[in-house]
Structures are given as structure tokens and as C-alpha cells.
């Protein structure tokens, strides 16, 4: 980080000296400035600049630095005559980055403000405040947790300062990553982030070598070590060396006699790894015939034993650690009490489920344990051999044993609670005496539910709905059932967004299955929208079923007829017969039924009464109702046509019909008689008379040709054949002239 000279707005004394000099030499006094830059770290005597060249002011100069600035003339070597500035030492921007003084020309009386800026170069390595950081993180620390690390310091500035951090080594299993954030002060602060789960038992400590790099080319770097100690949590349970132990003890064994010892180990450390042994009195040995040393695991006799009362003791021993939230594991211990007596066999049944109840999950697979049966007989010799059999259970259960003392009831065939919810099983124990003695126990075994049935929709659905229904309208009610029980049979409904369906038009109540509208529906967009409904139970894992329902939208007259096009132009000859159909207008209506049936009509009277046409209401054909005359009636008719649907919505189009002229009028002379005199010996070409005729037709049908048809004996007269045409007004001007002439001469 650079440290510049401190400057204030106060006028320094050396400036006052320069001003005094100018007062003494006022003639040509002006102020000039010469600014130079040089890079730090260059050799002593390096050329920096020339005051004369930069300012145009010649020396010699009187140099006037700030009197308090004792370093300036040591750090800079300035030739008072030539104005050349060189470095007096190897300049260090990090020590000082700016110099300023006044150079007063004693010959010209001019003052030059000389400024030298020292430029930075990448000559400093990033340095961490400490070479070693100690962090402790629990092995239960979640991924994403961050820990701040001191930022590295770099005396260089800008891009030459610290630009990035990285972990160079020691990051076993990529357990960490480095993030960096730029603070408001511009400093780049590193953050150590947990990127993978920690496990003290696998890696108890990390020595991360972290590098900081500046922005130089090549970059400079500095490093530090972050030692992360992983703190232990109680994430390992004790493990017994055996899952089942067995021992024998005489029924006359004295209190305190050792029976056997159990051993367990725990991978955790400290109190989390200290093991305490005990007997689960709730599930076994409730009479406390045996005791266990909580530290060594040695099981000993705690009360006098009686072979006739019980020959086998089933103990459930546990080992728990001493953590804040202790972990615990159990093992089975069978203690056989040895004696000889004549008694019936005994049966002891322990159900091997969490709540020790007479139940088995319907998801149990063949071979899974249901109960432990311990049998004993107080007799000795052959009489002590006991055979156990099962009756009932529909062949769904079987027995297995290794020592004819401990029998395990196992599942023999798959179970289905929805078919048979409980079984009655008879356990029979028979010794080998003669005659044999038999004892039996009856078990009422309940089959507990698992989520093995998906919900089933009940019934079929064919709902209909008016497209005018407001948002929130009830459409139909879903019903579904689940053959499971309890939470496995609780159902939640939802609408799925699947291709080709209208999930955005409807919503479903998750609990009741009531389908309602959530948007305005439109039959013209989709007359039969489909929705896919999902029914999901609350089991673990959940099971679901979907059904696709088509909703029939009933039409509502919400569309008016549409003409295409909206303007019609047609032409008809004036001599067409009455009833001739000229043009057909057409409008469509996207509604259905009567709402989409369009009828056509002309404007209301009296406008329609003035038209020589009528329109066919069903087809839209416009036909003549009277004869047309181009010469005496309008040659063009402009009128509107209305299309109306069955719901009384209408639309309008415009029609223009042009009446086309036909040659249906004879030319007429006016007047019919033209008196004229001509003197004999009149010269050829003399105009005698002008005749005039007209034709009520138009265009080419009104253009006339004249000729003399009789009375011109000897061809003494001639007439010009054609009339003239006024192109400005479009009027034919009849101007034929009869002139004197000679037979055979034309005009």
C-alpha cells in the first residue's frame, strides 16, 4: 500500500520564498509547471527529466523545496544549471511516491513547479500476517460453512496487489475450497469453505498450504499454512465382537460367579469412545438374576438360580458410549442353567421387532426373523431333548434352530396384510421322555402394514362445464382409496403439468379432491381440455396413481360472427334477369350449435327498400329483386350487410355493386328534320348542314357513326362518319356535318 506525502491547502513556506523572489524580480514573472514520472527501483543516477525541456525556462535555477522535506534533495539530484533531474537513491514507491519543489530561474525570473511521480512496479510479494493459522471444525460441520482467513498484504498497488488465492496442497479429498470476496476497501479477503463432509476417523487433521498471488507478470506469491483440526462428534456406535453370546452356569452357582464377558469397541475419541455396559432390563432379565460390570463387560450371577424355574436366560446386553447424545448397540446372551430334574418343557418367546409385540411386517421377506423361542426341560439325559414344532399360520412361517434350544420363527412365504391381517400360530414343545411330555403356546400374530398399495381412483369421470363459468367453479369431485391403513392410506391430490393437458385451467383441493377452475376456460381454444390428476399416499416411500380426465366445455355465445373479407366488390350487367345472384358474403362464428349459426340481412328499412337487391338469410347470396337500368338509375350501390348469430351477436360488412352498361338504347336525332339550302355551283367541301344525334348508353355504346342512307343521288353530298369525344368530361359530342362534294370523294 503506497504512502504519499501529506499535503494540505495551507501555503508552504517555500512557496512564500518563491513569491518573495518574484517580488524582487517582477518584470517577467510567470508560473510554469514541469511534471515527470519515473519507475521505482531503478539504479542511482537514473535520468528522470529536464526542467528546461519540460517548461522552456532556462537556468540557472534556485531550488526551493519545502524546508520540512529533508529527503527531497537526497532522493533527487537536480542540476541547477542544466535542469536535469536524476535519482539520488533507488526510489521506492512504497516509501514515497511523490516529490514537489519550486525551481526559480534566476536569469528569467520565472518559477517552475516541479513534480515527480514515482510509478509502481511489482517488487513486493504478498505476505500473510501469520505463517500458521489454527482452525478447529467439528466433523459434523455442514458443507458450505465458511471461515475467514486474514488477507495477504502487498505493498504494491492496483493490479499489482493481491488478485487471487488458491490451496496449493494438503487438501485431502478436496474437503475444502477457497472463495474470495472484494471488500469495500478494495482488499480481497479469502474464505475457507467446507466443500465435502469431514470425518475425524478418516482424516483428523488437514495442513492446507494456501498461496496468495498478485497481478504481476509473472505473478509474485506468498504462502501460509492453515491447520484444520477436525473435532470429534459421536458418529460411531459401539460394536460388539459377537452379535450373540452363550454361556452355561450351574444352578447352584453363588452370587458373584462370573458367567462370561462381552466386549465392544468404539472408533470415536474421548468420552465419545468410552464404553459403558449394561443389561436391557426392559426386554430381558427383569428379575435381575444377572449383573454386568459396566466397565469390563463381565456378566456374573446376581441372584440364586433355579434350574427348575428357568434353565435358559436370554439377556439383551447393551454397550453405549459416553457421548452427549450416546450411541448404543445390543447383543444377545443366552445363559443355560445346568441341572437335572423332571419337569415339562418350557417355552419362552421373544418377538424380534422394535416394540417386542406379537407382530410381523407384511414386507418381511422369506428368511426374516419373527420371534425367538427358547425351550428348556428341567430333566436330564434323553428327557432333556426338546423338539419344537409349529401348527397353523397357513404355511407362511417356519422354524430354524442350531442347538434345539433356541428356535427362530422365520417367514417362509410372502405375507399380504390386505389378504390376511393376522395369524394364529401354535408352538408345541415335546421332550424325548417315554411317554413324552408336551407343552404348547398360542401366538396371535398381527401382520403390520407397509405402503405396498398405490391409491386407486374410484369410478369414472365425464364432467362438463360451461365455458362461461367463473374462476372457482366446482367441476367434479375425485374419489380415491388405498388398501393400506394409517398414514399409508392418507391421500393427497395434485394436478400434473403434462404435455397436451390444461393444468393451468384447473386446480384441485389436495385433501378432498374437488376440482375447481383456476382460470377462465375457452371452448374455442380447447373444447375438451384434459387434466392429469395424481393421487399420492403418505407412505415411505410414497406411492401414486394418475388418472386423465376429459372435461367437456359447453358452449356459451361469447364470439360474434366474423366476415372474411369485410369489404365486397361485385359487377352485374344491367340486363341480368330478376333473381340473378351477384355476390355471396360469408361470416364464420367459432361458437357451436345455435350460437354458431349465422343469418344475413340487409340494412333496416327504408335503406333496404331503396335497394334493388335482397340477401338470402342462410347463404349470404345477394340477388336482384328488380330490373336494373344503368342509364336511368344509379350505376353503383353501396350498402352494409349484417351477420347475426343465434345468440344475437352481430357483425357488419360493406358491399359495393357496380351496374355494367349494355347497348340497349338506339341513337336518337334531335331534331328529326333539318332544312338546308345550297346554291348551285357551290364549291366542293362547302358545309351544308350539321345534324345531331345522342345515345343514352355510355362508353363505347354511346359513340355514334353517321352515314347517308338515301336521297343522295349522284353522290352529291357526303357526311363525316364519327362524332368527337370530350376527354376532359367523358361526354360524346355529336358534330357530324353534311358537305357538298363529288361522288366518290370521302371526308
Amino acid at each position: 500500500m503506497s504512502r504519499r506525502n501529506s499535503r494540505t491547502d495551507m501555503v508552504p513556506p517555500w512557496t512564500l520564498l518563491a513569491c518573495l523572489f518574484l517580488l524582487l524580480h517582477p518584470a517577467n514573472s510567470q508560473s510554469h509547471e514541469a511534471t515527470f514520472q519515473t519507475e521505482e527501483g531503478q539504479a542511482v543516477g537514473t535520468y528522470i527529466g529536464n526542467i528546461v525541456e519540460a517548461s522552456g525556462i532556462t537556468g540557472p535555477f534556485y531550488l526551493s523545496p519545502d524546508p520540512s522535506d529533508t529527503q527531497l534533495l537526497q532522493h533527487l539530484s537536480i542540476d541547477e544549471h542544466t535542469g536535469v533531474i536524476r535519482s539520488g537513491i533507488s526510489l521506492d514507491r512504497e516509501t514515497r511516491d511523490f516529490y514537489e519543489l519550486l525551481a526559480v530561474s534566476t536569469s528569467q525570473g520565472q518559477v517552475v513547479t516541479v513534480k515527480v511521480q514515482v510509478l509502481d512496479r511489482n517488487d513486493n510479494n504478498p505476505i500473510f500476517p501469520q505463517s500458521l493459522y489454527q482452525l478447529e471444525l467439528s466433523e459434523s460441520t455442514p458443507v458450505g460453512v465458511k471461515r475467514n482467513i486474514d488477507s495477504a498484504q502487498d505493498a504494491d498497488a492496483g493490479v499489482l496487489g493481491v488478485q487471487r488465492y488458491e490451496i496449493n496442497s494438503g487438501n485431502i479429498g478436496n474437503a475444502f475450497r477457497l472463495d474470495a470476496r472484494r471488500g469495500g476497501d478494495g482488499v480481497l479477503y479469502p474464505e475457507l469453505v467446507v466443500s465435502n463432509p469431514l470425518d475425524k476417523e478418516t482424516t483428523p487433521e488437514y495442513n492446507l498450504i494456501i498461496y496468495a498471488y498478485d497481478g504481476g507478470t509473472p505473478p509474485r506469491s506468498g504462502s501460509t499454512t492453515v491447520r484444520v483440526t477436525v473435532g470429534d462428534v459421536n458418529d460411531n456406535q459401539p460394536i460388539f465382537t459377537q452379535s450373540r453370546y452363550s454361556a452355561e452356569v450351574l444352578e447352584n452357582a453363588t452370587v458373584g460367579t462370573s458367567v462370561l464377558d462381552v466386549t465392544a469397541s468404539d472408533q470415536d475419541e474421548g468420552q465419545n469412545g468410552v464404553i459403558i455396559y449394561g443389561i436391557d432390563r426392559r426386554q430381558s432379565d427383569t428379575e435381575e438374576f444377572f449383573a454386568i460390570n459396566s466397565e469390563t463387560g463381565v456378566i456374573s450371577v446376581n441372584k440364586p438360580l433355579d434350574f427348575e424355574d428357568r434353565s435358559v436366560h436370554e439377556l439383551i446386553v447393551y454397550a453405549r458410549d459416553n457421548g452427549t447424545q450416546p450411541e448404543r448397540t445390543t447383543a444377545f446372551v443366552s445363559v443355560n442353567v445346568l441341572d437335572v430334574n423332571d419337569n415339562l418343557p418350557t417355552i419362552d418367546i421373544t418377538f424380534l421387532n422394535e416394540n417386542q409385540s406379537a407382530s410381523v411386517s407384511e414386507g418381511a421377506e422369506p428368511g426374516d426373523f419373527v420371534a425367538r423361542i427358547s425351550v428348556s426341560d428341567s430333566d436330564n439325559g434323553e428327557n432333556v431333548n426338546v423338539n419344537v414344532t409349529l401348527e397353523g399360520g397357513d404355511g407362511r412361517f417356519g422354524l430354524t434352530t442350531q442347538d434345539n434350544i433356541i428356535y427362530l420363527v422365520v417367514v417362509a412365504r410372502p405375507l399380504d396384510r390386505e389378504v390376511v391381517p393376522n395369524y394364529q400360530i401354535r408352538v408345541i414343545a415335546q421332550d424325548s421322555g417315554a411317554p413324552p411330555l408336551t407343552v404348547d403356546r398360542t401366538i396371535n400374530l398381527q401382520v403390520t402394514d407397509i405402503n405396498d398399495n398405490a391409491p386407486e381412483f374410484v369410478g369414472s369421470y365425464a364432467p362438463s362445464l360451461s365455458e362461461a363459468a367463473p374462476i372457482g367453479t366446482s367441476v367434479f369431485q375425485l374419489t380415491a382409496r388405498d388398501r393400506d391403513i394409517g398414514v399409508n392410506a392418507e391421500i393427497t391430490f395434485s394436478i400434473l403439468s403434462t404435455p397436451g393437458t390444461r393444468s393451468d385451467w384447473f386446480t384441485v383441493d389436495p385433501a378432498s379432491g374437488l376440482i375447481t377452475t383456476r382460470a377462465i376456460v375457452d371452448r374455442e381454444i380447447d373444447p375438451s381440455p384434459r387434466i392429469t390428476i395424481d393421487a399420492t399416499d403418505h407412505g415411505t416411500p410414497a406411492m401414486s396413481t394418475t388418472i386423465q380426465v376429459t372435461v367437456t366445455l359447453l358452449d356459451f355465445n361469447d364470439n360474434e360472427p366474423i366476415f372474411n373479407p369485410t369489404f365486397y366488390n361485385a359487377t352485374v350487367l344491367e340486363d341480368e334477369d330478376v333473381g340473378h345472384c351477384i355476390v355471396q358474403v360469408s361470416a364464420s362464428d367459432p361458437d357451436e350449435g345455435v350460437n354458431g349459426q349465422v343469418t344475413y340481412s340487409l340494412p333496416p328499412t327504408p335503406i333496404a327498400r331503396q335497394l334493388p337487391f335482397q340477401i338470402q338469410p342462410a347463404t349470404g347470396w345477394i340477388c336482384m329483386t328488380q330490373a336494373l337500368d344503368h342509364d336511368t338509375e344509379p350505376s353503383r350501390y353501396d350498402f352494409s350487410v349484417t351477420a347475426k348469430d343465434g345468440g344475437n351477436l352481430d357483425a357488419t360488412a360493406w358491399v359495393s355493386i357496380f351496374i355494367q352498361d349494355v347497348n340497349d338504347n338506339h341513337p336518337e336525332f334531335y331534331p328529326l328534320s333539318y332544312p338546308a339550302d345550297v346554291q348551285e355551283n357551290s364549291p366542293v367541301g362547302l358545309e351544308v348542314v350539321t345534324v345531331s344525334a345522342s345515345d343514352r348508353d355510355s362508353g363505347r355504346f354511346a359513340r355514334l357513326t353517321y352515314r347517308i342512307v338515301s336521297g343522295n343521288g349522284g353522290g352529291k353530298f357526303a357526311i363525316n362518319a364519327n362524332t368527337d369525344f370530350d376527354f376532359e368530361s367523358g361526354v360524346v359530342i355529336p358534330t357530324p356535318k353534311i358537305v357538298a362534294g363529288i361522288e366518290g370523294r370521302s371526308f
Side-chain angles (χ1 to χ4, degrees):
M1 182 179 296
S2 64
R3 297 175 294 277
R4 300 177 61 92
N5 291 337
S6 110
R7 287 171 286 175
T8 69
D9 293 335
M10 298 178 61
V11 179
W14 51 280
T15 302
L16 297 176
L17 291 175
C19 294
L20 179 62
F21 180 86
L22 294 176
L23 290 173
L24 297 175
H25 301 81
N28 301 312
S29 299
Q30 290 184 353
S31 179
H32 299 270
E33 185 174 292
T35 302
F36 306 97
Q37 292 181 337
T38 183
E39 191 177 70
E40 67 171 331
Q42 300 190 73
V44 176
T46 297
Y47 175 81
I48 296 174
N50 189 309
I51 300 173
V52 175
E53 293 177 357
S55 66
I57 306 302
T58 59
F61 297 98
Y62 171 74
L63 304 178
S64 178
D66 185 339
S68 64
D69 191 353
T70 59
Q71 295 179 337
L72 188 146
L73 295 180
Q74 297 175 7
H75 292 186
L76 301 177
S77 173
I78 305 175
D79 191 310
E80 298 177 352
H81 297 283
T82 64
V84 173
I85 304 174
R86 297 181 182 275
S87 59
I89 63 172
S90 179
L91 299 179
D92 184 3
R93 187 201 67 82
E94 287 72 46
T95 302
R96 183 169 179 175
D97 64 350
F98 183 79
Y99 300 86
E100 183 175 347
L101 77 159
L102 296 179
V104 183
S105 171
T106 59
S107 62
Q108 294 182 263
Q110 303 291 333
V111 176
V112 181
T113 300
V114 180
K115 299 178 181 180
V116 177
Q117 180 74 42
V118 181
L119 302 178
D120 192 25
R121 58 187 266 182
N122 196 22
D123 58 345
N124 290 280
N125 291 331
I127 299 175
F128 284 94
Q130 298 177 209
S131 62
L132 176 65
Y133 291 89
Q134 299 275 4
L135 292 178
E136 182 171 347
L137 294 173
S138 168
E139 64 178 327
S140 62
T141 302
V143 172
V145 168
K146 298 181 179 181
R147 291 290 185 269
N148 294 328
I149 302 173
D150 290 341
S151 61
Q153 307 298 315
D154 194 318
D156 296 319
V159 72
L160 299 179
V162 176
Q163 299 298 318
R164 61 187 176 92
Y165 298 91
E166 68 177 33
I167 301 174
N168 182 268
S169 62
N171 193 12
I172 301 170
N174 292 321
F176 301 93
R177 73 172 190 273
L178 272 180
D179 288 349
R181 60 178 178 84
R182 185 73 65 180
D185 55 1
V187 176
L188 192 66
Y189 293 94
E191 296 177 326
L192 187 66
V193 184
V194 178
S195 59
N196 279 306
L198 305 178
D199 186 354
K200 171 154 182 91
E201 287 71 43
T202 302
T203 308
E205 183 179 272
Y206 297 84
N207 287 291
L208 306 175
I209 308 300
I210 296 178
Y211 274 75
Y213 295 90
D214 63 22
T217 305
R220 287 176 172 265
S221 64
S223 66
T224 187
T225 299
V226 177
R227 181 169 296 152
V228 181
T229 302
V230 181
D232 187 50
V233 296
N234 193 21
D235 59 344
N236 291 282
Q237 66 180 18
I239 302 298
F240 279 103
T241 56
Q242 299 175 223
S243 61
R244 178 185 295 174
Y245 296 86
S246 61
E248 294 180 344
V249 61
L250 294 173
E251 67 169 336
N252 59 353
T254 59
V255 172
T257 301
S258 295
V259 179
L260 80 161
D261 60 336
V262 294
T263 305
S265 60
D266 194 311
Q267 295 183 22
D268 293 318
E269 294 183 348
Q271 291 300 310
N272 295 332
V274 173
I275 296 176
I276 299 171
Y277 298 96
I279 297 175
D280 190 334
R281 301 296 183 183
R282 184 177 66 85
Q283 299 188 66
S284 65
D285 195 29
T286 56
E287 298 91 346
E288 299 185 9
F289 285 104
F290 298 92
I292 188 170
N293 187 300
S294 61
E295 295 181 359
T296 63
V298 174
I299 298 174
S300 58
V301 176
N302 190 50
K303 286 183 178 180
L305 303 175
D306 186 351
F307 178 83
E308 289 73 27
D309 182 48
R310 185 181 299 175
S311 61
V312 177
H313 292 263
E314 290 291 335
L315 308 181
I316 298 178
V317 298
Y318 64 82
R320 66 172 177 85
D321 56 36
N322 204 30
T324 304
Q325 295 180 334
E327 295 285 341
R328 170 175 158 161
T329 189
T330 59
F332 296 106
V333 177
S334 297
V335 179
N336 295 314
V337 179
L338 304 178
D339 200 354
V340 175
N341 211 329
D342 52 348
N343 290 281
L344 291 171
T346 60
I347 300 174
D348 184 53
I349 301 176
T350 302
F351 294 99
L352 304 178
N353 50 43
E354 293 182 358
N355 55 10
Q356 301 282 294
S357 64
S359 62
V360 59
S361 170
E362 67 172 326
E365 297 181 355
D368 285 354
F369 298 147
V370 177
R372 176 186 295 103
I373 300 176
S374 300
V375 295
S376 62
D377 194 312
S378 56
D379 294 328
N380 274 330
E382 291 297 326
N383 296 331
V384 80
N385 295 324
V386 179
N387 182 52
V388 177
T389 58
L390 293 181
E391 287 184 358
D394 194 24
R396 301 285 172 175
F397 303 94
L399 281 176
T400 180
T401 183
Q402 293 182 347
D403 53 13
N404 292 328
I405 298 174
I406 303 299
Y407 289 81
L408 294 175
V409 179
V410 297
V411 176
R413 292 168 57 192
L415 305 174
D416 189 346
R417 186 203 65 82
E418 288 72 37
V419 176
V420 180
N422 52 69
Y423 292 90
Q424 191 173 78
I425 302 173
R426 183 170 174 238
V427 180
I428 303 170
Q430 185 180 69
D431 64 22
S432 301
L437 298 177
T438 302
V439 67
D440 65 82
R441 290 271 303 275
T442 299
I443 302 173
N444 289 313
L445 191 63
Q446 180 183 2
V447 181
T448 60
D449 188 49
I450 65 169
N451 194 29
D452 59 343
N453 289 277
E456 300 173 352
F457 286 98
V458 178
S460 58
Y461 303 95
S464 61
L465 175 70
S466 171
E467 67 172 337
I471 295 175
T473 299
S474 298
V475 184
F476 65 98
Q477 176 83 46
L478 284 167
T479 303
R481 64 186 180 189
D482 195 308
R483 297 175 62 202
D484 295 316
I485 59 175
V487 71
N488 295 331
E490 295 178 11
I491 298 174
T492 296
F493 298 95
S494 62
I495 293 180
L496 304 182
S497 179
T498 54
T501 63
R502 294 289 179 180
S503 59
D504 55 332
W505 284 7
F506 303 94
T507 186
V508 62
D509 184 277
S512 69
L514 178 64
I515 305 293
T516 56
T517 59
R518 63 181 295 188
I520 298 300
V521 299
D522 192 341
R523 189 200 64 81
E524 284 68 44
I525 294 177
D526 190 347
S528 302
R530 291 176 294 133
I531 51 176
T532 301
I533 303 103
D534 175 87
T536 301
D537 63 29
H538 292 189
T540 303
M543 300 188 74
S544 64
T545 301
T546 60
I547 185 174
Q548 192 169 88
V549 178
T550 299
V551 180
T552 300
L553 295 185
L554 305 178
D555 187 58
F556 177 78
N557 192 29
D558 58 344
N559 291 279
E560 62 186 12
I562 299 173
F563 276 103
N564 186 19
T566 56
F567 293 91
Y568 294 83
N569 291 316
T571 301
V572 60
L573 295 174
E574 66 175 333
D575 62 349
E576 288 286 357
D577 295 333
V578 173
H580 172 71
C581 293
I582 303 168
V583 63
Q584 184 182 29
V585 298
S586 178
S588 61
D589 191 314
D591 292 319
E592 66 177 2
V594 69
N595 294 330
Q597 293 177 359
V598 178
T599 58
Y600 303 90
S601 63
L602 294 179
T605 57
I607 298 175
R609 190 177 299 158
Q610 300 170 3
L611 297 175
F613 313 107
Q614 67 178 9
I615 190 167
Q616 295 179 358
T619 65
W621 276 104
I622 299 174
C623 306
M624 294 169 51
T625 59
Q626 63 188 55
L628 305 175
D629 191 341
H630 176 275
D631 311 304
T632 61
E633 297 175 358
S635 61
R636 171 176 172 175
Y637 291 88
D638 295 299
F639 54 92
S640 63
V641 175
T642 300
K644 182 179 294 185
D645 63 22
N648 217 30
L649 297 179
D650 59 35
T652 301
W654 296 94
V655 179
S656 293
I657 296 180
F658 298 86
I659 311 303
Q660 186 173 345
D661 191 32
V662 298
N663 194 19
D664 59 346
N665 290 283
H666 296 283
E668 297 177 352
F669 281 96
Y670 184 83
L672 297 177
S673 175
Y674 295 85
D677 295 323
V678 63
Q679 296 181 355
E680 64 179 349
N681 298 321
S682 293
V684 174
L686 176 67
E687 294 183 3
V688 178
V689 67
T690 299
V691 298
S692 176
S694 63
D695 194 311
R696 291 193 300 170
D697 293 321
S698 60
R700 62 188 181 89
F701 300 133
R703 190 172 184 86
L704 304 180
T705 302
Y706 295 83
R707 63 188 177 90
I708 300 173
V709 297
S710 64
N712 192 16
K716 299 301 184 180
F717 298 92
I719 189 170
N720 58 336
N722 298 320
T723 60
D724 295 329
F725 189 84
D726 185 346
F727 287 97
E728 292 184 359
S729 65
V731 177
V732 176
I733 304 173
T735 57
K737 295 180 174 57
I738 299 177
V739 299
I742 316 173
E743 186 174 325
R745 184 173 178 179
S746 63
F747 292 85

